[in-house]
Structure formats: structure tokens, C-alpha cells
Amino acid sequence: MAVFSLSDFADHEQVVFCSDDKSGLKAIIAVHNSNLGPALGGCRMWPYANEEEAVRDVLRLSRGMTYKSAMANLKLGGGKSVIIGNPRTQKTPELLAAFARALENLNGRYIAAEDSGTSVADMKYMTQFTQHVAGIHDKPTEDGTRSGDPSPATAFGTFIGIKAAVREKLGRDSLEGLKIAVQGVGNVGFDLAQQLHAAGAKLWVTDIHKESLARAEVELGATVVAPEEIFGLDVDVFAPCALGAVLNDQTIPQLKARIVAGASNNQLAEPRHGVELMKRGILYAPDYVINAGGIIDVYHERIGFERAALIAHVEGIYDNLLEIFERARKEERPTGEVADAIAEERFGR
Ligand code: NAD
């Protein structure tokens, strides 16, 4: 299998293939770019159908982290790792230890955090073997402490990002009375819905799990709809907070919302869907810009956590988005394309 000539290979600095016979570890660590600092990104464990799929995933995701961190003004580069295997049946302490030793061998060029298939507990366990993991410490909050889970910061950043999009598209600062559809009320989506409700927005929500929907209905007065109904609602904002590729040929024609702004990663099925949204006059807040609260949270843990500094940094998502929106408007380009250009300027591609 070729690597250098894969379409997902984008001038990556280093790609490391790690294996350990005893534990069965097969992992790939990709450092895309470290101009701004050590490469930080999640460690995903997934039963990839084949090795090429795993290589492509780690290359694509690590590149994305370079753009996300640069855009969020972090002194971090972009990296990601994947462990090939089923996290439910193949994730053993031996395997995590072997992976942690591989991290240690990279001397901090790559720092791992939890991702799909791994947990904060897994990262904490790995600290026995390496210091190069992040997102593991409890953090002070207004009413006690919370775990290393970055979701609250992601939700707060998404809330701030929705406000920036509303300012740009609707010319107002208040969310009072705005109609907002939230797709997925999990860790991020429910927290976001709470903030939107507190700001006076009227909510429509969907999920494939019933428990959180019932909570949203009772606690936030949200209207619950079926998963396929969320796209076509007559709302002001559509906030995807469930899964990727939700902006595609099937869903975009249904959208009545004038703004798409949510926390999901990789919302555009293909870059051309960003053009499609622009043509329809729908303002799209680029996913990696609006959902950067989580990586900002992890970064602050590394530099010595101060709650006020974290909040101020996450609030910077507002200005980042306004800069993108303004440039996209003036240059008549899709917001995602403009975001990439700004990120590239920042990391010095
Ligand atoms: P989560 O798993 O807690 O929540 C996702 C929710 O979406 C779940 O409740 C799930 O049941 C629901 N869902 C799944 N498929 C659905 C469908 N077809 N229709 C409607 N709902 C569906 O995950 P999360 O941590 O809240 O993350 C949400 C999104 O934000 C993900 O795309 C994630 O990659 C992205 N994100 C999260 C963070 C973070 O800090 N947690 C950071 C950046 C990006």
C-alpha cells in the first residue's frame, strides 16, 4: 500500500506504525505539522475494515487538527493516532500500555487525548507509562469540579459561535425568540441546548436515544422530532451535534434554516457542499472553528489551568468566526475555504 501518494497525505511530517506482538497492538500515529508546537490530537480505537482505511483516517484527522489548533490560536501542531481493533472486545490494559510506550518513544512530538473508542480513564491509565497524554485532570467549575472531559468547553464555544453567526446573518446580538434545531442531545448537544434555552431560544431536538430527549422536553421545553425531520424544520439555526457528513445532497435541499452552526466534526460530506450552502444563502460556521472549545480546554490543562483564561480563550471563537464571515462575504467564497486559508496563514504552511 502506498502512503506518500495517498490523496490524504498532505505533507505530513511523520507517520509512525507501531506494533506489539504480546498485546496485539497495531496502531498508527500521524504528526501532520508541528510548526506551532507539539502535535496534539485524539487517539481513536476502531475496527477498521483494512489497513488502508486506518491510514487514510489518521492522515485526514491529523491534518484537521493542525487547522483546528492554528485557527484557535494554540501553540500546538496537528496529530492523531488510531489503534486498529474493537474497543469493546480488544482494548486491554496490556494493549494500552504498549501504545503508551510507543507514545513515550516519540518524546512528546505527539500528545494523545481521548477520542472515539478511548476514554479519559484510558488516558489516565496510560500515564503510568508516558507523560504524553492530555485531557486527564479534574477542573474547577462554578459549582465544584468536572472531569477532564472537554465537552462543556466545546458546548460553550458552540454557543458563542452561534451568537457570532446570528450577528453576521441576522444582524442581532440576542438569541431571544430565535428558533433553533439541535441534532443530537449527547454530551455537547444537551449542554448547548441548555445554554440556548437560558438565552431565550425556542428549541427543536432529535436523537436516537430517548432518555435525553425526554429530559430536553421536560427541562428545556424543547419540541422533540424524529431524526429525519430535523433538517427541514422552519427554524433560524440548525445545530448539528451528532455525527459527521450531515450536510449532503439529500439534506441541504431540505434546509430552511439560514444558519448552520453546530459542534459535529466533518459536517460537510464533501467540500462542494460548502459551495452549495453559500449559493442558497445559508451561513455555515466551519465545524473545526466553532467546535474548538474542547481542544482549547485540553491546551489550558497543559499550560496550567485557569478558568477565566480558558473562558476568554473560548470566547475568541466569536472573533475568529466574524473574521471568516467577513472575508467570505467580501471574497464571495465559502466560509470553509476561507477558514482553511486563514489557518494556513497562521501555521505557516
Ligand atoms: P455524544 O456521543 O455524547 O452525543 C452524540 C449524540 O448524537 C448522542 O446522543 C447520539 O445518540 C446522537 N445521535 C447519533 N446518531 C444520531 C442521528 N442519526 N440523529 C440524531 N442523533 C443522533 O457525542 P458528543 O461528545 O456530544 O459530540 C457530538 C459531536 O461533536 C460529535 O460529532 C463529535 O465528534 C463532535 N465534537 C465533540 C467534542 C467534545 O468535546 N465532546 C469536541 C469537538 C467535536
Side-chain angles (χ1 to χ4, degrees):
M1 178 188 48
V3 175
F4 286 113
S5 52
L6 277 181
S7 54
D8 295 302
F9 189 85
D11 300 328
H12 281 71
E13 288 176 12
Q14 192 176 17
V15 183
V16 183
F17 292 80
C18 324
S19 67
D20 176 65
D21 276 355
K22 260 193 180 162
S23 63
L25 175 75
K26 274 203 170 72
I28 313 168
I29 300 170
V31 174
H32 172 254
N33 186 289
S34 62
N35 286 359
L36 297 175
L40 193 149
C43 167
R44 179 169 286 193
M45 183 161 183
W46 191 254
Y48 292 98
N50 55 54
E51 288 170 16
E52 180 169 337
E53 204 180 89
V55 172
R56 282 189 179 279
D57 211 28
V58 78
L59 291 177
R60 190 175 53 84
L61 295 168
S62 58
R63 177 178 181 272
M65 290 308 297
T66 302
Y67 283 73
K68 182 183 263 198
S69 288
M71 198 69 218
N73 292 310
L74 305 177
K75 292 190 184 77
L76 291 175
K80 201 91 182 185
S81 55
V82 296
I83 300 177
I84 301 172
N86 186 332
R88 285 169 193 260
T89 54
Q90 290 171 289
K91 194 167 68 181
T92 60
E94 293 74 26
L95 180 125
L96 290 174
F99 180 71
R101 282 190 213 100
L103 288 184
E104 190 59 19
N105 284 340
L106 282 173
N107 284 322
R109 272 184 60 69
Y110 166 70
I111 300 151
E114 57 112 18
D115 204 286
S116 321
T118 63
S119 63
V120 171
D122 295 336
M123 295 301 129
K124 282 188 177 168
Y125 174 74
M126 291 200 291
T127 58
Q128 294 176 59
F129 312 95
T130 181
Q131 48 177 323
H132 306 304
V133 291
I136 47 175
H137 297 301
D138 293 349
K139 289 163 193 158
T141 65
E142 263 174 356
D143 41 9
T145 55
R146 66 174 167 90
S147 74
D149 177 11
S151 304
T154 305
F156 177 56
T158 307
F159 174 70
I160 294 290
I162 289 176
K163 290 183 90 167
V166 165
R167 163 104 300 266
E168 167 72 17
K169 189 71 189 173
L170 309 178
R172 54 186 277 183
D173 291 319
S174 165
L175 302 185
E176 186 75 47
L178 282 188
K179 295 185 264 178
I180 303 186
V182 181
Q183 181 194 35
V185 276
N187 286 326
V188 176
F190 194 86
D191 191 330
L192 171 67
Q194 283 176 314
Q195 295 180 59
L196 294 171
H197 171 69
K202 197 166 164 13
L203 300 174
W204 279 258
V205 295
T206 191
D207 203 290
I208 50 171
H209 288 123
K210 296 217 162 52
E211 311 83 69
S212 38
L213 287 176
R215 250 188 91 195
E217 200 169 21
V218 174
E219 293 177 24
L220 312 176
T223 305
V224 173
V225 300
E228 63 281 5
E229 284 178 87
I230 199 79
F231 306 103
L233 295 174
D234 189 7
V235 291
D236 301 292
V237 181
F238 170 51
C241 297
L243 64 175
V246 289
L247 301 170
N248 55 45
D249 292 337
Q250 282 71 46
T251 59
I252 291 177
Q254 299 177 45
L255 293 178
K256 296 198 182 78
R258 294 159 74 192
I259 294 168
V260 175
S264 289
N265 280 314
N266 307 315
Q267 291 172 29
L268 300 171
E270 293 171 45
R272 69 182 171 86
H273 293 112
V275 180
E276 202 48 52
L277 290 170
M278 184 182 77
K279 280 190 192 155
R280 291 167 188 261
I282 299 171
L283 182 68
Y284 167 62
D287 44 19
Y288 70 83
V289 185
I290 189 170
N291 74 14
I295 186 88
I296 296 173
D297 186 81
V298 172
Y299 175 74
H300 276 260
E301 182 180 307
R302 286 178 56 76
I303 60 170
F305 190 82
E306 265 184 54
R307 198 163 168 269
L310 168 71
I311 290 172
H313 202 147
V314 176
E315 283 173 344
I317 289 174
Y318 189 90
D319 287 340
N320 267 339
L321 283 171
L322 286 192
E323 184 184 346
I324 293 165
F325 294 153
E326 189 184 344
R327 219 160 121 173
R329 187 171 8 96
K330 285 187 178 151
E331 297 174 11
E332 295 179 23
R333 289 165 74 196
T335 50
E337 210 178 287
V338 170
D340 285 357
I342 295 175
E344 284 167 9
E345 285 158 19
R346 292 189 186 171
F347 75 80
R349 189 180 178 208

